[in-house]
Amino acid sequence: MFSVEWLGQKVALKASNGKYICTKKNGQLLAVSDSVGEDELLSIKMINRPMLILRGQNGFICHHKNSNTLDASRSIYDIFTLQHSNGAYQIKGASGQYWYVNSSLVVCSDGEAPEDFFIELVERGRLAIRGKNGKYLRGDPGGLLKGDGLTLSSSVLWEY
């Protein structure tokens, strides 16, 4: 068994002996390190998920009908495209535009340029998405998808 420590674009794996997994020059992996350094940082890339459908505690994530925001409490879903680049993910809607977190911490879906998000696989079948501001995407009580979650809680976990 291993525990995963999410460190932005990289992860560190801690083995059951309390030591971190490190890579050796020959490609060997060993659980011998007491702390995280360059040799203990690993990349994870989801390669079998080009499409993304997310459901949270209040419903599916879907484009808002009359604005550029995303709802997190819908009974229907939208299919989004997941792209990977340098340890981060970019999320694109059917229109070809990207997700981003605006200055009000609301997630919008009309970005021309991709914005980096970081996916953390938290528990079986559930993930958390962290924005470049370091905060988790969460469904707020009003139904909006916001980028202001501070801790891992049920409002920031998404079935995928």
Side-chain angles (χ1 to χ4, degrees), residues 54-69:
L54 298 171
R55 184 176 75 161
Q57 67 181 4
N58 297 317
F60 291 100
I61 294 180
C62 188
H63 288 97
H64 190 279
K65 292 180 183 179
N66 300 320
S67 76
N68 65 342
T69 61

Side-chain angles (χ1 to χ4, degrees), residues 10 20 75 82 137 144:
K10 302 279 186 173
Y20 289 97
S75 60
L82 193 61
L137 303 190
L144 279 177

Side-chain angles (χ1 to χ4, degrees), residues 10-101:
K10 302 279 186 173
V11 298
L13 299 176
K14 189 181 265 190
S16 59
N17 66 357
K19 304 285 186 176
Y20 289 97
I21 303 295
C22 70
T23 56
K24 296 298 181 187
K25 300 288 186 234
N26 65 1
Q28 186 178 16
L29 299 174
L30 298 172
V32 296
S33 299
D34 291 319
S35 61
V36 177
E38 189 63 33
D39 291 338
E40 291 76 27
L41 293 175
L42 305 169
S43 296
I44 292 181
K45 178 181 179 183
M46 294 192 321
I47 58 172
N48 62 344
R49 290 280 178 196
M51 296 186 307
L52 188 64
I53 298 170
L54 298 171
R55 184 176 75 161
Q57 67 181 4
N58 297 317
F60 291 100
I61 294 180
C62 188
H63 288 97
H64 190 279
K65 292 180 183 179
N66 300 320
S67 76
N68 65 342
T69 61
L70 292 164
D71 288 332
S73 61
R74 301 289 297 274
S75 60
I76 59 170
Y77 59 84
D78 281 344
I79 299 173
F80 301 98
T81 302
L82 193 61
Q83 299 175 337
H84 182 270
S85 177
N86 295 323
Y89 293 88
Q90 300 79 38
I91 304 170
K92 186 166 46 168
S95 68
Q97 295 179 306
Y98 293 94
W99 287 17
Y100 65 94
V101 179

Side-chain angles (χ1 to χ4, degrees), residues 115-135:
E115 181 169 302
D116 288 345
F117 292 93
F118 306 99
I119 292 180
E120 300 179 8
L121 303 172
V122 180
E123 53 188 53
R124 187 179 190 108
R126 292 184 188 264
L127 57 80
I129 303 172
R130 195 184 289 256
K132 68 179 186 177
N133 63 1
K135 296 185 172 139

